[in-house]
Amino acid sequence: MGSLSGLAAVLAHSVLYSIYEMIRWRGSSFSTLSLTDAFLHLICGTGLGLLFWLSWGLAGMVDVPWWFRGVSFAMLCWVPVSLPAVVGAWITSPPERGLSAKATAMMASRWAMTCLIAGLTCAWSWERSV
């Protein structure tokens, strides 16, 4: 579930961001997604699924709906997952160009989408199995 949710998150974010760019720039979309980014989100989704399983599906949260558990897990994981990615991109970017605010926001939102979809799918599957 985790790896599929990582790929679904990359796909969903790409589609939503492309629609946003087409509306904003009147039909000229220039967003690209590399194969390494998709693979990285696949691995991250797998890791998030394993982490959710190891946490016993946040078993301490009782009498809450499955989606609340998934969103809570996503919020807990977003900063530790996205912050190293954004800092790594900022460090490796050329000093004369830097990392733009738009690129930073796009990376952070892509990682947020990955965490959210992974959290929701893991919480849903945990709810069905228990």
Side-chain angles (χ1 to χ4, degrees), residues 68-80 112 115-116 119:
F68 186 78
R69 205 174 277 198
V71 170
S72 299
F73 181 76
M75 288 188 316
L76 288 171
C77 292
W78 181 54
V79 172
C115 290
L116 181 66

Side-chain angles (χ1 to χ4, degrees), residues 1-3 5-6 44-53 55-58 66-67 69-70 73 114-130:
M1 284 301 253
S3 60
S5 65
C44 181
T46 304
L48 288 172
L50 179 65
L51 186 63
F52 190 83
W53 180 75
S55 72
W56 282 58
L58 298 177
W66 66 268
W67 58 267
R69 205 174 277 198
F73 181 76
T114 299
C115 290
L116 181 66
I117 291 179
L120 287 175
T121 56
C122 290
W124 179 72
S125 68
W126 185 271
E127 183 73 22
R128 288 187 53 168
S129 68
V130 173

Side-chain angles (χ1 to χ4, degrees), residues 12-59:
H13 187 271
S14 295
V15 167
L16 291 175
Y17 191 73
S18 295
I19 290 170
Y20 168 74
E21 279 186 345
M22 288 178 68
I23 291 171
R24 185 165 183 216
W25 299 107
R26 307 279 189 245
S28 62
S29 178
F30 52 86
S31 176
T32 59
L33 180 69
S34 68
L35 187 61
T36 56
D37 284 342
F39 184 69
L40 185 63
H41 284 268
L42 173 116
I43 296 299
C44 181
T46 304
L48 288 172
L50 179 65
L51 186 63
F52 190 83
W53 180 75
L54 288 174
S55 72
W56 282 58
L58 298 177

